[in-house]
Amino acid sequence: MNVLRHLTLLLCLCAGLASAQTQPPARSFTDAARGPTPITESTKPPPLANAINDDVRRTRNYAMQPPTIPHRVDGYQIDKNFNKCLDCHARARTETSQAVPVSITHYMDRDGRVLGQVSTRRYFCMQCHVAQDAARPLVNNTFQDVDTVIQQSLKKSQSADKAPKK
């Protein structure tokens, strides 16, 4: 009786393996940002281009957006012991450097108390601020900043006001 069970189990196992070999391989998934490489495989990252280094302040796209970094920051040391950004952007140094000073909000703790130095929660600049690269977008984007949306809305309402009334 026990031998019969083992024989039946062995036959079922063999049948399962045989059917698995005849089925087509599972479809691999891809991601548009990675190109045609399946997500289960490693890709070679594209080479880094030169960061934009024009010192032009860019318009922000939404309220409270951190400003972008308009210059190269390659090799900047920012760790618990030193922050290279503060060599120029610390409020005490901006008169000499002519850099934009760190916002006063960066000198406040989570309870709103003003500190004598940059708050530890705002110390690692590149968590929020990013250097710019003249790279082509990975995916199409139809984002419009709030000023553009407001202007389009105003134009539509002005057009509606000028239209002849029936």
Side-chain angles (χ1 to χ4, degrees):
M1 186 78 160
N2 212 5
V3 174
L4 186 58
R5 277 191 200 151
H6 287 310
L7 187 56
T8 306
L9 181 61
L10 186 61
L11 285 171
C12 289
L13 196 63
C14 289
L17 288 173
S19 69
Q21 289 176 354
T22 59
Q23 293 177 355
R27 187 177 143 241
S28 62
F29 293 100
T30 58
D31 174 19
R34 294 170 49 91
T37 306
I39 60 173
T40 56
E41 296 177 21
S42 295
T43 60
K44 182 179 177 186
L48 292 174
N50 284 330
I52 294 174
N53 199 33
D54 59 11
D55 276 340
V56 172
R57 291 175 73 179
R58 285 168 181 71
T59 304
R60 298 185 204 185
N61 293 313
Y62 56 89
M64 304 305 286
Q65 175 188 354
T68 58
I69 302 171
H71 57 80
R72 294 183 66 148
V73 291
D74 314 19
Y76 270 36
Q77 179 183 349
I78 301 175
D79 58 35
K80 66 180 182 138
N81 299 316
F82 186 75
N83 182 326
K84 177 68 175 163
C85 300
L86 295 178
D87 281 356
C88 299
H89 293 279
R91 296 185 85 73
R93 298 197 177 170
T94 56
E95 190 173 326
T96 306
S97 69
Q98 296 298 302
V100 175
V102 173
S103 166
I104 191 64
T105 60
H106 289 51
Y107 288 84
M108 294 179 183
D109 66 11
R110 68 178 63 204
D111 298 319
R113 291 184 296 252
V114 178
L115 307 171
Q117 69 280 344
V118 172
S119 170
T120 54
R121 67 191 192 112
R122 297 285 185 96
Y123 182 77
F124 295 98
C125 308
M126 288 182 236
Q127 286 183 166
C128 300
H129 304 277
V130 294
Q132 297 300 287
D133 191 357
R136 178 180 65 78
L138 294 174
V139 293
N140 291 333
N141 185 348
T142 59
F143 175 82
Q144 294 179 326
D145 63 51
V146 68
D147 294 326
T148 302
V149 172
I150 291 170
Q151 289 299 321
Q152 288 176 345
S153 176
L154 288 173
K155 285 180 184 177
K156 283 181 184 177
S157 68
Q158 288 171 351
S159 298
D161 290 344
K162 290 179 183 176
K165 298 195 170 52
K166 294 182 180 182

